[in-house]
Amino acid sequence: MELSITEEAAEEFHKSVKDIEPTPYLRIGAKPGGCSGWMFTLESDTDVDMTDSFYDDIVIIDTELHENVIGDLMVDYRDDNIVEQGFVFQRMSTGVVCGCGESFTPLGSTKKLGWNE
């Protein structure tokens, strides 16, 4: 499984945690919800669990969640669009992502959105 973070997203995360010691990691996650079934989550975390995978010296993610629900993912940061701004997710695996990009169908799901079939 692949997970990457753009330079813009990494810089923005580092700016947001610059005064926190020890320096936290960006934890990517997901939880049930949203119009597509699951929603991406982001939080800062100083603990890396034995079940986590570590990417780009900044991002941690639960390995099982990554491999079985989320799939390949790129995290970006945008501030050039009033509707889609902040941290955004670009899913590289198959599956549906809602129009706003905040929710997605899990890997292996057969769910389709009516406007995106």
Side-chain angles (χ1 to χ4, degrees):
M1 287 285 130
E2 296 290 325
L3 195 150
S4 61
I5 184 167
T6 64
E7 187 176 320
E8 294 82 5
E11 286 176 14
E12 193 62 31
F13 177 70
H14 284 302
K15 280 194 273 183
S16 71
V17 298
K18 69 178 179 180
D19 295 328
I20 299 174
E21 290 293 333
T23 302
Y25 300 105
L26 178 62
R27 178 174 290 281
I28 307 293
K31 64 181 181 180
C35 59
S36 296
W38 283 73
M39 296 177 64
F40 293 109
T41 62
L42 283 175
E43 61 185 12
S44 60
D45 195 344
T46 56
D47 296 322
V48 179
D49 299 325
M50 290 180 56
T51 58
D52 289 334
S53 295
F54 190 62
Y55 294 91
D56 295 333
D57 298 327
I58 185 175
V59 178
I60 53 176
I61 188 170
D62 179 270
T63 303
E64 185 175 336
L65 186 66
H66 188 200
E67 293 177 353
N68 298 313
V69 177
I70 296 174
D72 297 331
L73 186 70
M74 182 173 63
V75 181
D76 195 4
Y77 186 86
R78 294 188 186 150
D79 60 2
D80 61 341
N81 181 327
I82 196 163
V83 174
E84 190 179 64
Q85 57 182 314
F87 290 97
V88 294
F89 304 93
Q90 296 177 352
R91 196 151 176 226
M92 311 312 268
S93 301
T94 59
V96 176
V97 176
C98 73
C100 70
E102 291 186 18
S103 70
F104 64 96
T105 59
L107 292 177
S109 174
T110 58
K111 180 179 179 177
K112 296 181 187 266
L113 299 177
W115 52 266
N116 197 21
E117 292 185 63

